[in-house]
Amino acid sequence: MNETRDLPGLKLRLEAAFHLKSVLEGKPFAPIGPDRLAQSRDRALANRMVTIALRHHGQIDAVFKEVLAKGVPQRAGILEAVLRIAIAQLLWLDDIAAHSAIHLGVESARADKRAGRFDKLVNGVLRSVQRQSEQFQALDGDTLIPGWLAAQWAGTYGADAVARFAEILIQSPPLDLTLKSPDPDLIAVLGGQPVLGETVRLAERDAAVADLAGFAEGKWWVQDVSAALPARLLNAGAGEAILDLCAAPGGKTAQLASAGARVTALDISADRMARVRANLDRLELNAEIVVADALDYAPGPVFDAVLLDAPCSATGTFRRHPEVLLHRNAQGIAERVALQRKMLAHATALLKPGGRLIYCVCSLERGEGEDQLAWVQSSLPELEPSAIAASELDGWDTPLTPQGAVRLTPAMALPNGVGGALDGFFIARFIRKPV
Ligand SMILES: C[S@@+](CC[C@H](N)C(=O)[O-])C[C@H]1O[C@@H](n2cnc3c(N)ncnc32)[C@H](O)[C@@H]1O
């Protein structure tokens, strides 16, 4: 066994397979870390294999239908994950030789007791996929987004937008950074392109995030262009008391703190709040850290503004978290809608009269976005909507809704001719009526 595990390229494939298996079982995707694979090249390749298998999940299902008459054997350990990783390599990772994908796929299965019984099947399936690779590579994108979600999105955004979402799903996303302060020299060194506000986009990079210019000096943090807008629209003033409710990993906390506000950052997850603390330390920014359930936090109406980045389906983040497409269902979304309403009511009670509330979700679902705005208007009479103007988005009016909210979808063209997509988001702003 040890001899086999020493085969070049096998260990990283096994890590990739175990990692993919855990995501298929419902865990969110987090990149494989140095504790699992010490070499950064191995980690990069293993993570690429897992993400490509997840991006093309629906197409791999279609391949399975063609080459496995009885479906993928169940209770077979890492078998399904091994097949998905090897098929992803054969069809969409053309810098790896097919014979190595097949050989290492078979050896990966053999390294696992339950999957090992199916080594001949793995060999046969992968050889069939190789023979029919042109046909499978030409599979259309209709299967990429699960049917129920595609139908829901087609109803909201139209069939063309859904087709565009599918194209975006299989591309690897650019990296967006929020700069702590404007810095044209740093943008030039990074080779980035300014998008909107302090967001800079790196279309390509050849280094890990922590090795990019300005990281160690705390000059920026990673944040999608969409995710940078809610804090911007809160218009935090120096010295204002602002509550960042559901704050981790802290991108919005950093924006509010760098505007000079006195920020209280709250999140239910102690682990995630440790990341907020580390990020703030690196950025030399301050915030009071509270680990608590938002619904139990009741200091009274003491805040000038609250930013509620509510827990949501996160379907707008499918470019970086393709697994959300596999894990979400209508019931789970309905549960989040109910929680968001409780949080909206609770956040209102924490605002001083005249205080501002930003509600946002990284979701493409109307129920978590536009419908929540309508619910506030019918159910929380203390709040009045505060319409967002294009002038607050450097004149970009594409995402403004007739109700004065912001709806961002991955298919929207960015301003300044910047290429690539963005996270789906919904943002609404309210004022607590003065008494
Ligand atoms: C969308 S993320 C927040 C992202 C963050 N605002 C940022 O910009 O980096 C949602 C967060 O809600 C937190 N959360 C979920 N349920 C919560 C609850 N009941 N109380 C407080 N935080 C909660 C999760 O731990 C998660 O960190």
Side-chain angles (χ1 to χ4, degrees):
M1 170 76 90
N2 281 341
E3 218 171 83
T4 315
R5 274 182 186 262
D6 288 344
L7 262 180
L10 181 61
K11 184 169 175 355
L12 76 89
R13 278 166 181 77
L14 276 171
E15 284 298 338
F18 279 110
H19 210 67
L20 178 60
K21 180 172 185 284
S22 75
V23 177
L24 295 177
E25 287 167 351
K27 285 227 177 92
F29 171 75
I32 297 169
D35 54 323
R36 304 299 310 171
L37 286 170
Q39 301 291 328
S40 63
R41 266 183 47 189
D42 289 353
R43 268 198 317 277
L45 180 54
N47 282 319
R48 212 163 133 227
M49 288 174 175
V50 177
T51 46
I52 290 181
L54 287 170
R55 291 181 191 288
H56 290 272
H57 186 92
Q59 288 176 325
I60 296 175
D61 282 347
V63 170
F64 281 159
K65 282 202 184 110
E66 292 279 326
V67 297
L68 276 161
K70 294 186 194 154
V72 181
Q74 296 301 295
R75 289 187 293 281
I78 59 171
L79 177 67
E80 178 173 344
V82 163
L83 286 171
R84 286 185 183 274
I85 296 279
I87 291 170
Q89 283 175 76
L90 284 170
L91 299 179
W92 299 292
L93 259 170
D94 45 15
D95 46 350
I96 294 176
H99 62 83
S100 116
I102 296 173
H103 175 58
L104 290 168
V106 172
E107 291 304 332
S108 302
R110 283 185 183 145
D112 178 60
K113 200 169 154 204
R114 283 174 179 248
R117 295 177 290 140
F118 297 100
D119 59 346
K120 291 196 176 56
L121 176 134
V122 173
N123 188 46
V125 163
L126 296 182
R127 286 187 188 286
S128 299
V129 173
Q130 185 194 13
R131 275 195 304 277
Q132 300 174 73
S133 59
E134 276 184 28
Q135 172 199 333
F136 291 141
Q137 278 159 344
L139 275 173
D140 65 33
D142 288 0
T143 54
L144 286 169
I145 295 172
W148 71 278
L149 210 43
Q152 192 157 300
W153 288 347
T156 309
Y157 304 110
D160 288 351
V162 179
R164 178 83 189 111
F165 292 174
E167 285 169 15
I168 289 167
L169 170 64
I170 53 176
Q171 293 160 10
S172 72
L175 184 72
D176 288 350
L177 313 177
T178 300
L179 264 49
K180 198 170 152 190
S181 51
D183 191 339
D185 293 342
L186 177 62
I187 296 175
V189 172
L190 286 164
Q193 203 181 357
V195 190
L196 194 63
E198 302 309 333
T199 300
V200 172
R201 172 158 290 189
L202 308 194
E204 281 176 16
R205 65 186 159 107
D206 51 14
V209 167
D211 296 330
L212 293 173
F215 178 87
E217 297 80 15
K219 292 190 170 179
W220 50 260
W221 56 94
V222 173
Q223 188 175 40
D224 190 76
V225 61
S226 300
L229 295 181
R232 178 176 174 170
L233 293 169
L234 198 61
N235 298 314
E240 281 194 311
I242 298 194
L243 174 62
D244 186 0
L245 202 53
C246 303
K252 298 174 186 74
T253 307
Q255 284 176 285
L256 298 168
S258 66
R262 286 183 292 121
V263 185
T264 302
L266 180 147
D267 200 281
I268 201 167
S269 160
D271 285 352
R272 286 168 65 81
M273 279 316 250
R275 280 177 61 199
V276 177
R277 171 52 63 213
N279 280 329
L280 290 174
D281 287 349
R282 178 178 63 84
L283 297 164
E284 296 182 1
L285 293 170
N286 274 320
E288 184 192 349
I289 300 286
V290 179
V291 176
D293 187 323
L295 298 174
D296 295 336
Y297 181 68
V302 296
F303 291 103
D304 296 302
V306 175
L307 194 164
L308 171 55
D309 188 8
C312 68
S313 63
T315 48
T317 67
F318 68 73
R319 295 175 309 145
R320 282 172 295 109
H321 290 285
E323 76 279 9
V324 296
L325 301 180
L326 315 179
H327 294 165
R328 299 299 176 253
N329 57 46
Q331 192 199 330
I333 293 175
E335 285 165 11
R336 284 178 172 87
V337 167
L339 176 61
Q340 290 152 8
R341 290 183 180 178
K342 285 187 190 154
M343 287 193 171
L344 274 161
H346 190 74
T348 305
L350 301 178
L351 277 176
K352 291 178 187 168
R356 289 113 57 211
L357 170 66
I358 287 275
Y359 169 77
C360 64
V361 279
C362 53
S363 162
L364 286 165
E365 313 319 307
R366 280 192 67 91
E368 297 180 288
E370 289 80 350
D371 295 352
Q372 296 293 44
L373 171 54
W375 177 81
V376 168
Q377 288 178 286
S378 65
S379 308
L380 294 179
E382 313 91 294
L383 290 181
E384 59 188 3
S386 160
I388 295 162
S391 57
E392 298 177 85
L393 302 171
D394 299 354
W396 189 39
D397 59 4
T398 317
L400 295 182
T401 74
Q403 292 74 29
V406 165
R407 159 55 72 198
L408 298 147
T409 84
M412 254 169 205
L414 282 162
N416 304 329
V418 176
L422 62 161
D423 277 356
F425 244 90
F426 177 83
I427 310 165
R429 188 171 58 197
F430 304 93
I431 307 274
R432 181 170 187 181
K433 289 179 189 159
V435 276

